[in-house]
């Protein structure tokens, strides 16, 4: 499929989709599953063969039927509601935008989003996503294959602060944190506390404590939420852009959009100051 042309009209479509996603996620309380959808579309990337990744292929029945994607048809259907109102946006951009918005509306960091991803109908073979029953070496096999680092592994794991596992989907049950609809650093805080009644710790979660290269990041993020937010935003952006090289026109359009937005804010503020000054002078003369 052809690359989308990231022009002013496409950026308007992105903004419109963002607004619809905010409303939908707030109304449905579906931030966790929307974030999971974005991750699972992106997390199939293979840096060596340059195949799969955030290309919208998870909408194929062949792929969303993979065991690791159990339950994600719900999120796909939610996204179709937005797609019907914003038909110009690619599925690849829509799914990654949904993940970005899910983090932001639950109190997490702002993740930089650059549009322009191309859709694909070619799905990878099953087995490219993490297996929650495995340990550190498996995590590295999966994330290194994508081209990501130890730091990315730990930072991205922190998104388990959102949501819960469902027995019928993964074989595990329960939330990771006390407030599963709030994005914060409590995943790491709870991880360091050890076993807590009612809270989940997967083998892949425990692996972050057991591995000497992973654990320092867990301790850092539990102690400093600002550092976690900074690193998470960087790692999330990397994940969302695996195999995707933003076009120069797309990056420029985003930059110009930001400048125009800032300019609009400046004009509005200036206008408000002028109006207030006018009323102040009128009031003075009336006294």
């Amino acid at each position: 499929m052809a690359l989308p042309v990231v022009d002013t009209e496409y950026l308007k479509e992105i903004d419109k989709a963002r607004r619809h996603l905010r409303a939908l996620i707030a109304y449905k309380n579906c931030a966790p599953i929307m974030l999971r959808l974005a991750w699972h579309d992106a997390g199939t990337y293979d840096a060596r063969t340059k195949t799969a990744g955030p290309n919208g292929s998870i909408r194929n029945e062949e792929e969303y039927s993979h065991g690791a994607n159990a339950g994600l048809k719900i999120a796909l259907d939610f996204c179709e509601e937005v797609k019907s109102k914003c038909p110009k946006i690619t599925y690849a951009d829509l799914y990654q935008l949904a993940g970005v918005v899910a983090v932001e509306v639950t109190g997490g960091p702002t993740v930089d989003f650059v549009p322009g991803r191309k859709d694909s109908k070619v799905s990878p073979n099953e087995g490219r996503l993490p297996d929650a029953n495995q340990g550190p070496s498996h995590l590295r096999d999966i994330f290194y294959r994508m081209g990501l680092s130890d730091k990315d592994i730990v930072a991205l794991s922190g998104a388990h602060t959102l949501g819960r596992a469902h027995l019928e989907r993964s074989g595990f049950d329960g939330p990771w944190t006390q407030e599963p609809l709030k994005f914060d650093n409590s995943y790491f805080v709870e991880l360091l506390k050890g076993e807590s009644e009612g809270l989940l710790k997967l083998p892949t979660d425990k692996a972050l404590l057991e591995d000497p290269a992973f654990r320092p990041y867990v301790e850092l993020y539990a102690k400093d939420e600002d550092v976690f937010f900074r690193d998470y935003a960087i790692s999330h952006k990397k994940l969302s852009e695996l195999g995707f090289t933003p076009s120069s026109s797309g990056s420029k359009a985003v930059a110009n959009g930001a400048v125009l937005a800032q300019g609009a804010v400046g004009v509005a503020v200036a206008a408000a100051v002028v109006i207030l000054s006018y009323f102040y002078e009128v009031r003075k003369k009336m006294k």
Side-chain angles (χ1 to χ4, degrees), residues 7 29 82 183 196:
D7 54 13
N29 278 334
V82 177
F183 196 104
S196 300

Side-chain angles (χ1 to χ4, degrees), residues 19-87:
R19 292 194 300 274
H20 284 300
L21 283 166
R22 283 183 186 137
L24 183 145
I25 290 170
Y27 179 69
K28 303 274 190 184
N29 278 334
C30 62
I33 200 169
M34 297 297 256
L35 180 57
R36 182 170 165 243
L37 173 66
W39 275 38
H40 283 219
D41 194 42
T44 56
Y45 185 65
D46 187 316
R48 184 180 60 82
T49 61
K50 303 198 182 313
T51 54
N55 59 19
S57 66
I58 198 168
R59 72 192 188 280
N60 299 335
E61 185 175 4
E62 171 194 351
E63 188 170 342
Y64 70 69
S65 298
H66 290 174
N69 294 329
L72 284 180
K73 183 66 164 61
I74 296 168
L76 289 166
D77 289 344
F78 286 158
C79 284
E80 281 298 334
E81 294 180 30
V82 177
K83 177 72 170 171
S84 67
K85 297 166 186 169
C86 309

